[in-house]
């Protein structure tokens, strides 16, 4: 369904509030760079629903069925990337904080006061920004295969960067599909390989639903320009889970370690064999860490609430 949030249209999927009088605690899921809400594994969503949660997913701005910022044009990524490497501030059309405001706007539009917030990759950065901007509305923070954005951390493997920065040789669905299959094989989990036919089906769903590569470029610039977040993470005091793959070729494990180190009391969970994706085996590990984290945050909040 389409809702109006932060003055733009956002596409949302809502598992529902539950039976009358039995409101479920909310988990807000925020997807990563260029990825749509359909990229969330059904097993993860169902696992949360089965555990008693209302699950909200949405397309971030500039992807899928949410608002596309066509008027902002196609960014010159190479030039802005060079500025970033030289320590200069890239010129971004909008910020990660703006995307965090979109997510808060989704909560506003749905009448949700507080939610557990879980983000993967860029979604983890957005979730961190939400925790900084509106800590009173975040029950707990879960930052998955993401980063603090601190300078000097280990970079992606060169072969991964080459695939990430390359573009499909055409716009027909088969060519685009083959390109993204190569990308996801490059960043995938060596310990939890996804059968190719499943990978192709999942990617094709997104390609057919809302392929919009220029929006991904604008999101990349927002990430490059978000250069103050690392120093601000010490302000977060919310219950925080940092989950990261020990075989992540895009954001090496040190990114998770650094994020957890900067957030007071954060719990770091490393998964052997996990790369930069969410195959079924990883989802099982994620739920095993996530569900106790959510319950502990709720118990702590009830203990601290005045009677």
């Amino acid at each position: 369904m389409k809702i109006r949030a932060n003055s733009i249209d956002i596409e949302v999927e809502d598992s529902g509030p539950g039976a009358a009088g039995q409101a479920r605690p909310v988990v807000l899921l925020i997807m990563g760079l260029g990825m749509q809400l359909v990229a969330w594994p059904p097993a993860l969503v169902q696992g949360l629903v089965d555990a008693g949660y209302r699950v909200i997913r949405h397309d971030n701005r500039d992807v899928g069925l949410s608002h596309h910022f066509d008027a902002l044009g196609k960014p010159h990524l190479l030039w802005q990337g060079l500025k970033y490497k030289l320590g200069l501030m890239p010129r971004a059309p909008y910020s990660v904080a703006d995307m965090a405001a979109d997510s808060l706007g989704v909560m506003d539009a749905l009448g949700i006061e507080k939610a557990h917030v879980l983000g993967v990759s860029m979604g983890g950065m957005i979730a961190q920004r939400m925790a900084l901007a509106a800590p009173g509305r975040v029950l707990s923070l879960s930052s998955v295969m993401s980063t603090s954005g601190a300078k000097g951390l280990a970079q992606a493997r060169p072969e991964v960067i080459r695939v990430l920065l390359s573009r499909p040789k055409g716009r027909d669905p088969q060519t685009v599909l083959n390109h993204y299959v190569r990308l996801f094989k490059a960043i995938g989990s060596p310990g939890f390989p996804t059968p190719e036919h499943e990978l192709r089906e999942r990617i094709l769903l997104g390609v057919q639903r809302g392929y919009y590569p220029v929006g991904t470029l604008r999101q990349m610039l927002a990430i490059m320009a978000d250069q103050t977040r690392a120093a601000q993470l010490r302000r977060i005091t919310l219950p925080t889970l940092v989950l990261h793959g020990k075989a992540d070729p895009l954001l090496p494990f040190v990114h998770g370690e650094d994020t957890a180190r900067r957030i007071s009391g954060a719990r770091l969970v490393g998964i052997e064999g996990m790369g930069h994706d969410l195959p079924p085996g990883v989802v099982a590990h994620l739920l095993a860490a996530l569900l106790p984290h959510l319950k502990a945050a709720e118990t702590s909040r009830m203990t601290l609430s005045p009677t």
Side-chain angles (χ1 to χ4, degrees), residues 12 64 80 146 152-153 163 210 231 264 278 296-297 306:
V12 173
Q80 298 298 336
S146 191
L153 299 176
V163 177
S264 177
L278 295 172

Side-chain angles (χ1 to χ4, degrees), residues 42-77:
L44 175 61
V45 176
Q46 192 61 50
L48 289 167
V49 171
D50 290 345
Y53 292 96
R54 176 183 179 184
V55 180
I56 309 293
R57 298 171 288 160
H58 65 285
D59 287 337
N60 290 313
R61 60 170 59 198
D62 249 348
V63 300
L65 305 182
S66 287
H67 182 82
H68 293 172
F69 285 81
D70 298 309
L72 298 178
K74 183 178 180 179
H76 196 307
L77 192 62

